[in-house]
Each structure stands twice: as C-alpha cells, then as structure tokens.
C-alpha cells in the first residue's frame, strides 16, 4: 500500500494556521478574509456621535429644574425656631424692584435670601450657625442653578431679619405645590421692574427703612460655574467619543 503524499500547506486552506512562520516571512491573509474582518462603522454610532456633539447640556447650556420637591413639609418649624433666637431688628436687605414675574419672581427672592443665610453664618455663634444651617438647607436647592451676576439696576432696602424670614416662608409656601418638574432655565438672570433707572434711588418700602445697594453675597460662584461648564464639556467629549467607539466597534 503506497504512502499518500501530504498536501502542501500552501494548497490547503485548512492548514494555513498550522504552518510555522519562517523568519523574515510576512504572513498575508487571503483578500476575502481581509474584507470580512475589516472593522465597520455602524450608522447608529454616527448618529450617536452627532447627537453628542449637538447636545446642549455638554455645550454648557444651563439648566434649572428640580425632578423632586426640594421643599420639606416642616420648613416652617425651622424658620420659627430660628426666629426665636434671632434679634428681630437685625438689619438685612430685601430687593425692592425685582420684576413681578409669575414663574421666576419667587425663585429670585429665594436666591437673595439664601445668600443672606450664607452671610449670616459667617458672623453667628455656634448655636446660631446650626439654626441658620437648618434654614439654609431649605433654600439651598437654588444653588444648583447657575444664576447670572445680579443686575446693576437692582435696588435693595434695609429692613429687619424678621421681614426677610417672613418673605422667604411666603415664597416657599407659594412654590411648594408646583416647583417639581418646572423648568426655570429662563430665570437664571434676575430682572428689574421695567423702567427702572440704575441711577434713581427708590423710596423706602417701610417706615424707617433705608436704601442699601450692597449685595448679600458675591455672585462669583455662579460666574465661576458658567466659566467651567465649557471646559468640562471639552474634557468630557474625548472620553465619551472613545467609549462610543469601543461600544460601536463590531465584535
């Protein structure tokens, strides 16, 4: 019985991967295999990348909304407890010429009140700081929105701390039923009443009150946030691009 000749590895495709590589020899796959294994780009991946580049949130477009109700059910108790310890005639300021805007007006009052709480904590004692922090927690949700620096036309009148607390409670009570899922993006710039002249002093809101143009706290944090949003988008885009390419690469 004769010995059958062994087929050359070059003529049998099934043995191609078993053939040892010779030094200096460059192995080449058949052209058909190269076509089959060439990585493709799915149309859905291109669409995802376009949506990524056009996404307003990554381009720094500010958003201001609350998916859950940030106002607690017992916020009045915290304000009442603070009122019992505060000097009722401690001088603070209230905005006198904020525009009476149906959606934004109450939120603007809370923004100014929250800045006052932060300022008062820096000059209060230990016990008072805890009470102020309890109240500040009830209105701290306004800080998630990137508000613009206060306009130069805004005017303040000096009043008592009791008036500030009463005004803040009134705003919270009015907003609690409908604050959830509202979009306040159009409220990020506080507006003055129409026709307000920045050089014109306003009459006092109450007897004995004086006009005060000092702002409760600087708006540097909001301005810094606005400046950092585009930078964060630039840092995030390459990472998301890389992850999308890994996800869309055929296996």
């Amino acid at each position: 019985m004769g010995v059958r000749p062994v087929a050359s590895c070059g003529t049998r495709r099934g043995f191609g991967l078993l053939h040892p590589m010779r030094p200096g020899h460059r192995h080449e796959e058949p052209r058909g295999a190269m076509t089959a294994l060439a990585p493709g780009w799915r149309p859905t991946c291109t669409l995802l990348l376009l949506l990524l580049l056009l996404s307003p949130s990554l381009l720094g477009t500010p958003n201001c909304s609350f998916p859950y109700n940030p106002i607690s059910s017992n916020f009045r108790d915290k304000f009442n407890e603070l009122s019992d310890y505060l000097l009722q005639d401690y001088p603070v300021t209230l905005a006198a010429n904020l525009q009476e805007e149906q959606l934004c007006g109450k939120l603007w009052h809370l923004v100014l009140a929250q800045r006052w709480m932060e300022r008062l904590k820096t000059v209060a004692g230990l016990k008072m700081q805890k009470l102020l922090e309890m109240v500040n927690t009830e209105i701290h949700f306004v800080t998630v929105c990137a508000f613009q620096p206060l306009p130069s036309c805004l005017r303040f009148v000096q009043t008592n701390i009791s008036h500030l607390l009463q005004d803040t409670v009134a705003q919270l009570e009015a907003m609690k039923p409908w604050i959830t899922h509202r979009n306040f993006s159009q409220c990020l710039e506080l507006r003055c009443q129409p026709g307000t002249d920045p050089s014109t002093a306003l009459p006092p809101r109450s007897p004995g009150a004086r006009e005060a143009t000092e702002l409760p706290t600087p708006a540097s944090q909001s301005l810094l946030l606005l400046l950092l949003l585009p930078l964060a988008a630039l840092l995030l885009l390459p990472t998301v691009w890389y992850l999308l390419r890994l996800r869309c690469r055929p296996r």
Side-chain angles (χ1 to χ4, degrees), residues 123-197:
V123 297
L126 184 60
K127 173 64 176 179
M128 190 64 65
Q129 284 182 356
K130 294 180 179 179
L131 296 176
L132 287 168
E133 183 58 35
M134 290 174 55
V135 168
N136 187 47
T137 302
E138 295 296 328
I139 54 178
H140 194 263
F141 63 86
V142 300
T143 61
V144 303
C145 303
F147 286 94
Q148 298 285 339
L150 301 183
S152 59
C153 61
L154 199 59
R155 287 291 173 265
F156 296 85
V157 291
Q158 185 169 300
T159 184
N160 299 330
I161 184 66
S162 58
H163 295 160
L164 174 64
L165 297 179
Q166 292 170 7
D167 180 76
T168 305
V169 169
Q171 309 305 334
L172 289 173
E173 288 178 341
M175 294 186 68
K176 185 174 175 58
W178 51 266
I179 187 175
T180 309
H181 300 298
R182 289 291 186 98
N183 190 352
F184 295 93
S185 298
Q186 59 179 315
C187 306
L188 298 180
E189 182 178 359
L190 279 68
R191 294 185 289 272
C192 304
Q193 294 175 3
T196 300
D197 186 352

Side-chain angles (χ1 to χ4, degrees), residues 40-42 44-46 48-49 242-251:
W41 189 255
R42 302 177 186 176
T44 54
C45 296
T46 303
L48 286 174
L49 289 175
Y242 176 75
L243 293 176
L244 282 175
R245 293 199 62 176
L246 287 180
R247 181 180 179 86
C248 297
R249 184 178 299 173
R251 300 177 181 177

Side-chain angles (χ1 to χ4, degrees), residues 220-235:
S220 56
Q221 293 181 351
S222 299
L223 182 59
L224 179 61
L225 180 60
L226 289 176
L227 294 176
L228 289 179
L229 281 175
L231 178 60
L234 292 177
L235 295 177

Side-chain angles (χ1 to χ4, degrees), residues 7 14 16 46 50 52 54 82 85 88 111 115 131 138 156 161 172 194 201 203 220 226 230 236:
T46 303
L50 287 176
L52 172 65
L54 297 177
L82 176 61
Y85 283 88
Q88 298 302 308
V111 169
R115 295 182 179 185
L131 296 176
E138 295 296 328
F156 296 85
I161 184 66
L172 289 173
S220 56
L226 289 176
L236 185 61

Side-chain angles (χ1 to χ4, degrees), residues 6-16 19 22:
V6 179
S8 171
C9 293
T11 59
R12 295 289 301 275
R13 180 177 300 180
F15 293 91
H19 183 69
R22 296 192 304 272

